[in-house]
Amino acid sequence: MRRVLLAVLTIVAVATGGVVAIDAQTTADRFEPNDDIETATEIDAGTHGNLSIHTDDDTDHYAVDVKPGTPINVSVVFDHSASDIDASLYGPDEQQVDAAISVTDNETLTATADDGGTYYVEVRSYLVGTAPYSLDVRTGTAGTSEASADADRFEGNDRVENATSIERGEYANLSIDGTDVDYYAVEASESDDLNVSLAFGHDAADVDLTLYGPNESVVAESDSVTDNETVNYTVESSGTHYVRVDTYGGGAARYEMTVGPIDQSGNPLPVGALPVLFAALIAFGLARRLR
């Protein structure tokens, strides 16, 4: 079987699905030396933490074997303030099949392995700098659900910079497949309650949910192995928060998303409505007892 090389150049950060906490580190990591394809580190799908671009000219390479028709999703999680990390994915013939060169935290690569074998991911620093990062590689057989045939109305939202702006409410007829990632942007103020829930059938796909704060760091996540996912978060910093929906291990599914809190009619509750309501009920109860 030909091999897929995942090369992480000077600074790489991986993130798709699960996110690993990153400790400051500029020393060579356990996979060195892996500075070129010939010395690429063979890894399995999963999350690999405590990695680093430890010198200005460091380049990290990783190799992962996949079967024909398998979706590949690679995430690099890092702090862009430390270094501008870029990433590329190469096929068994060492030709580039995807690239991620944003100017924000984290990079994501996605592709489908038309030919089985070893694929190569290359992650590098565009400029000088050293930084710690974590790498997440997910592979799986694409599902046959009809959801994979129809992109939903929000598509084009596969990266955080293209996130669809939404408000609190209910959103039906959404879809995702093994190579898709959906991002949504919602505004929230400090001390707000921000609740996000996904309704889907786990037999179609293992859909996961992650919530990021204004600095694009993970603040809440839900990655069970059952139907539906939910996160509940009390906002610590005002600004744009990002909802990420993806699948673990491939598959395709339709889902419904609720961003709350909302009332029984699906309308957003005013900020502070719940505390005021509870206070009113308590006051009413006390008044009755004092009568």
Side-chain angles (χ1 to χ4, degrees), residues 38-122:
E38 288 70 24
T39 58
T41 300
E42 296 183 22
I43 60 173
D44 294 324
T47 300
H48 305 271
N50 297 318
L51 306 178
S52 67
I53 295 298
H54 65 284
T55 64
D56 289 342
D57 59 353
D58 184 26
T59 299
D60 295 338
H61 295 77
Y62 304 89
V64 57
D65 290 332
V66 297
K67 297 179 180 179
T70 299
I72 306 170
N73 195 317
V74 178
S75 297
V76 181
V77 177
F78 62 96
D79 185 349
H80 185 268
S81 65
S83 183
D84 182 5
I85 295 177
D86 294 334
S88 298
L89 178 65
Y90 297 87
D93 58 0
E94 299 182 21
Q95 296 298 305
Q96 182 173 287
V97 295
D98 194 20
I101 54 173
S102 74
V103 292
T104 60
D105 293 350
N106 310 333
E107 299 291 359
T108 299
L109 300 165
T110 59
T112 297
D114 294 330
D115 299 319
T118 301
Y119 278 71
Y120 306 93
V121 176
E122 174 183 273

